[in-house]
Amino acid sequence: MGFLAKRKPAPVQAAAAAQAEYIPSEGDFTLLTGRDINVDKNYASQGYWKGVAIHFLKDKRAMAGLIIVVLIILLAILGPSINSYGYKDIITVITEEGKKKIGRAIPPRIPALHRLLTGEEYTGVFADRVFLFGTDDMGRDLWTRTWTGARISLIIAFVTIFIDMIIGMSYGLISGYFGGMTDNIMQRIVEVANSVPRLVIISVLAIFMPKGMGLVIVALLLTEWIGMSKIARAEVLKLKEQEYVLASRTLGAGRFHIIFSQILPNTIGPIITQVMFSIPTAIFTEAFLSFVGVGIVLPQCSVGSLIEDGFNNITTLPYQILPPIIVLALLMLGFNFIGDGLREALAPKLEDM
């Protein structure tokens, strides 16, 4: 009995024969030039932070907030040096009769502008002086005091938020990475610290510490780190089981090396956003503490202490409260605009891309 060979179907045989006989030639291919290739510039390859910067710069509201904040910072640095009055100098002049006159309660004025608008001259011993914001009830220049106060408020906010960022970020990263009993104990400490009202902490500090910048900084340090730690812990809980973390652990990397070298760089975006939202909170808290009398001590000034002085004299010198209130409002608005812009830039929505 013989074996029958199975024949291939005719189409399969034809395809195999064509493949065996095909010899490529030069005319079979045409090289594409640069003109023939369409590149989508919107989705061209770019780095993460470059994409964040491009998205942020396209946000008009964020850019408006950035301009406002930069202008106020520049005025806080350079503003007090524009005129010759110090923040605690009482403006005086000696009259022709030899009497000493104090420049109390002089409203805002620019003599040249007044002449241009009214055609009249100022009269009096202070007629040739320029007071952009006027003077207070003690005879101190409000321009100098406003920008000196803004400088102090900004210094307090930046110092406390920077330290709180380091403390809260480290606390949250360690708590989330180790987990288990360590995380439970550390989170109970956070809950206890968060349950104590801020006013109680300030009242206790006021008993043992003198009033001033130190009390304000310590009060902010004890309260503002909690939000940072929660955000850092939430981020590390998402990232600690990622493949690159497991690979580093497998290769023998230490725990703190993984936390601060592998996980921390990937949590910096949400933390920067939280910092931008925490700065106006710190400025407002400092203003509140100074307003209630446990913050900056006279003759030093901050935005809050200037608002307190203006509030005490609002019936007699209504213009005195306007400059610090406007500066505080612009700072709060500017930093919130920047925070919103960074939040959208670091995690853009699909319709914004």
Side-chain angles (χ1 to χ4, degrees), residues 155-157 159-161 163-164 167 198 201-206 208-225 282 285-286 289 294-296:
I155 289 173
I156 291 174
V159 169
T160 54
I161 293 304
I163 298 174
D164 282 331
I167 296 174
R198 180 176 294 174
I201 297 175
I202 295 167
S203 302
V204 173
L205 289 175
F208 299 100
M209 293 182 64
K211 299 178 183 178
M213 187 182 296
L215 188 146
V216 176
I217 291 176
V218 173
L220 290 172
L221 288 178
L222 292 176
T223 55
E224 292 298 322
W225 65 272
T285 303
E286 181 278 324
L289 295 179
V294 295
I296 304 301

Side-chain angles (χ1 to χ4, degrees), residues 52-53 55-73 154 158 269-280 283 329-347:
V52 169
H55 197 92
F56 181 81
L57 293 175
K58 289 181 179 179
D59 192 334
K60 296 180 179 179
R61 192 171 65 171
M63 291 306 298
L66 182 62
I67 292 171
I68 290 171
V69 170
V70 169
L71 285 176
I72 291 179
I73 291 175
L154 287 169
F158 283 124
I271 292 202
I272 290 176
T273 304
Q274 179 65 20
V275 166
M276 286 297 107
F277 284 116
S278 297
I279 289 175
I283 293 173
L330 289 176
L331 281 174
M332 301 283 289
L333 191 68
F335 277 114
N336 277 288
F337 281 172
I338 294 173
D340 287 334
L342 282 175
R343 182 171 56 190
E344 294 296 329
L346 291 165

Side-chain angles (χ1 to χ4, degrees), residues 308-350:
E308 181 194 11
D309 289 342
F311 180 77
N312 293 334
N313 300 308
I314 195 168
T315 56
T316 56
L317 306 175
Y319 63 85
Q320 185 177 344
I321 199 173
L322 292 178
I325 279 185
I326 292 174
V327 169
L328 178 62
L330 289 176
L331 281 174
M332 301 283 289
L333 191 68
F335 277 114
N336 277 288
F337 281 172
I338 294 173
D340 287 334
L342 282 175
R343 182 171 56 190
E344 294 296 329
L346 291 165
K349 299 176 183 176
L350 186 60

Side-chain angles (χ1 to χ4, degrees), residues 58-337:
K58 289 181 179 179
D59 192 334
K60 296 180 179 179
R61 192 171 65 171
M63 291 306 298
L66 182 62
I67 292 171
I68 290 171
V69 170
V70 169
L71 285 176
I72 291 179
I73 291 175
L74 289 176
L75 285 170
I77 295 172
L78 304 175
S81 61
I82 290 177
N83 58 26
S84 57
Y85 308 124
Y87 72 91
K88 59 182 179 180
D89 294 342
I90 296 176
I91 300 171
T92 59
V93 68
I94 305 299
T95 63
E96 295 179 356
E97 294 81 11
K99 295 182 179 179
K100 183 178 181 181
K101 190 172 180 62
I102 300 175
R104 291 191 178 98
I106 300 176
R109 69 186 190 190
I110 303 175
L113 183 62
H114 180 79
R115 284 195 304 269
L116 181 64
L117 295 176
T118 64
E120 300 176 353
E121 295 283 349
Y122 271 117
T123 58
V125 294
F126 296 101
D128 59 338
R129 307 288 181 93
V130 176
F131 300 108
L132 293 175
F133 291 168
T135 62
D136 61 8
D137 57 325
M138 298 290 293
R140 297 170 296 199
D141 182 63
L142 286 176
W143 169 272
T144 305
R145 288 182 64 77
T146 297
W147 298 121
T148 302
R151 180 192 299 175
I152 291 176
S153 296
L154 287 169
I155 289 173
I156 291 174
F158 283 124
V159 169
T160 54
I161 293 304
F162 178 75
I163 298 174
D164 282 331
M165 180 184 68
I166 294 175
I167 296 174
M169 188 170 56
S170 302
Y171 193 95
L173 289 173
I174 293 172
S175 175
Y177 182 81
F178 283 92
M181 184 61 68
T182 302
D183 184 45
N184 287 331
I185 295 173
M186 295 180 75
Q187 290 310 303
R188 299 299 81 75
I189 295 173
V190 169
E191 291 175 3
V192 171
N194 198 31
S195 64
V196 180
R198 180 176 294 174
L199 193 59
V200 174
I201 297 175
I202 295 167
S203 302
V204 173
L205 289 175
I207 298 174
F208 299 100
M209 293 182 64
K211 299 178 183 178
M213 187 182 296
L215 188 146
V216 176
I217 291 176
V218 173
L220 290 172
L221 288 178
L222 292 176
T223 55
E224 292 298 322
W225 65 272
I226 297 174
M228 302 275 187
S229 69
K230 290 181 178 180
I231 290 178
R233 177 178 178 270
E235 290 297 317
V236 77
L237 288 175
K238 291 192 303 183
L239 297 174
K240 71 177 184 178
E241 300 300 332
Q242 296 291 324
E243 287 81 1
Y244 67 92
V245 176
L246 296 176
S248 297
R249 195 181 301 160
T250 304
L251 293 173
R255 292 178 176 179
F256 287 97
H257 174 80
I258 295 174
I259 291 172
F260 294 104
S261 297
Q262 302 292 327
I263 297 177
L264 176 59
N266 293 286
T267 64
I268 201 68
I271 292 202
I272 290 176
T273 304
Q274 179 65 20
V275 166
M276 286 297 107
F277 284 116
S278 297
I279 289 175
T281 303
I283 293 173
F284 183 79
T285 303
E286 181 278 324
F288 167 74
L289 295 179
S290 298
F291 182 80
V292 299
V294 295
I296 304 301
V297 181
L298 295 175
Q300 265 193 329
C301 56
S302 68
V303 172
S305 63
L306 290 173
I307 293 174
E308 181 194 11
D309 289 342
F311 180 77
N312 293 334
N313 300 308
I314 195 168
T315 56
T316 56
L317 306 175
Y319 63 85
Q320 185 177 344
I321 199 173
L322 292 178
I325 279 185
I326 292 174
V327 169
L328 178 62
L330 289 176
L331 281 174
M332 301 283 289
L333 191 68
F335 277 114
N336 277 288
F337 281 172

